[in-house]
């Protein structure tokens, strides 16, 4: 069974812009859902000691984003980060540190010329399974 995630173009653009603004470090953030549909992208600062190859969300910003989601009646839909110099495939640390099995994991690669690549994953029996990631229209 292959899962599918459809993201509105507005969220896709926010995610890609955030990744491009941090072209030498891994950007990271959260996507919320309202009534099961993607709602907002929350950019969170990466405070990892090796930000070019790892991401660690700044705790206060992550907590504030999660609190805001709850206050808006939203749920955590996806965790997003970028790979500045490698394909959008989960690294060993990405797989080991994936602590939200209900969430999707989205990786943006900046390792392509002129084209940003974004892939989605879901944890299934402790393995990262590829998700059919599509971009939809607003609405």
């Amino acid at each position: 069974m292959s899962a599918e995630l459809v993201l509105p173009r507005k969220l896709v653009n926010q995610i890609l812009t955030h990744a491009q603004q941090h072209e030498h470090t891994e950007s990271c953030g959260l996507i919320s859902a309202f009534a099961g549909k993607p709602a907002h992208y929350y950019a969170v600062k990466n405070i990892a000691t090796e930000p070019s190859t790892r991401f660690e969300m700044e705790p206060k910003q992550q907590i504030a984003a999660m609190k805001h989601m709850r206050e808006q009646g939203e749920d955590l839909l996806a965790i997003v980060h970028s790979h500045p110099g490698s394909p959008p495939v989960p690294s060993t640390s990405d797989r080991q540190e994936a602590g939200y099995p209900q969430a999707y994991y989205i990786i943006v690669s900046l390792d392509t010329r002129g084209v940003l690549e974004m892939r989605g994953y879901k944890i299934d029996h402790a393995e990262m399974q590829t998700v059919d990631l599509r971009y939809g229209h607003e609405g």
Side-chain angles (χ1 to χ4, degrees), residues 7-16 134-138:
L7 295 177
R9 180 59 65 182
K10 178 182 174 186
L11 286 184
V12 171
N13 290 342
Q14 290 171 343
I15 293 164
L16 297 179
R134 298 182 186 269
Y135 314 132
H137 297 289
E138 304 305 312

Side-chain angles (χ1 to χ4, degrees), residues 30 32 42 65-74 76:
L30 305 169
S32 66
Y42 297 86
M66 300 289 274
K67 182 175 186 262
H68 188 265
M69 285 181 207
R70 278 193 308 276
E71 290 169 351
Q72 300 300 312
E74 300 170 350
L76 175 64

Side-chain angles (χ1 to χ4, degrees), residues 2-136:
S2 175
E4 177 180 275
L5 177 60
V6 179
L7 295 177
R9 180 59 65 182
K10 178 182 174 186
L11 286 184
V12 171
N13 290 342
Q14 290 171 343
I15 293 164
L16 297 179
T17 298
H18 187 220
Q20 288 172 315
Q21 290 170 343
H22 300 273
E23 63 180 309
H24 300 295
T25 60
E26 293 194 4
S27 63
C28 51
L30 305 169
I31 298 175
S32 66
F34 183 77
K37 296 189 179 197
H40 295 99
Y41 176 65
Y42 297 86
V44 179
K45 183 178 179 181
N46 180 357
I47 60 161
T49 53
E50 294 291 335
S52 62
T53 57
R54 295 181 64 108
F55 79 98
E56 179 183 343
M57 292 190 186
E58 197 283 324
K60 288 181 181 166
Q61 287 184 11
Q62 182 179 1
I63 290 166
M66 300 289 274
K67 182 175 186 262
H68 188 265
M69 285 181 207
R70 278 193 308 276
E71 290 169 351
Q72 300 300 312
E74 300 170 350
D75 298 307
L76 175 64
L77 177 68
I79 298 167
V80 180
H81 76 283
S82 66
H83 283 178
S86 61
V89 176
S91 66
T92 301
S93 61
D94 290 341
R95 289 190 300 274
Q96 289 172 344
E97 296 169 11
Y100 292 87
Q102 77 281 12
Y104 290 94
Y105 288 83
I106 297 173
I107 303 174
V108 178
S109 175
L110 301 177
D111 191 38
T112 52
R113 289 193 172 267
V115 180
L116 293 169
E117 191 176 359
M118 189 161 55
R119 289 192 197 158
Y121 300 88
K122 188 86 170 160
I123 299 173
D124 182 23
H125 298 33
E127 290 293 320
M128 290 283 225
Q129 301 296 326
T130 303
V131 171
D132 187 8
L133 189 60
R134 298 182 186 269
Y135 314 132

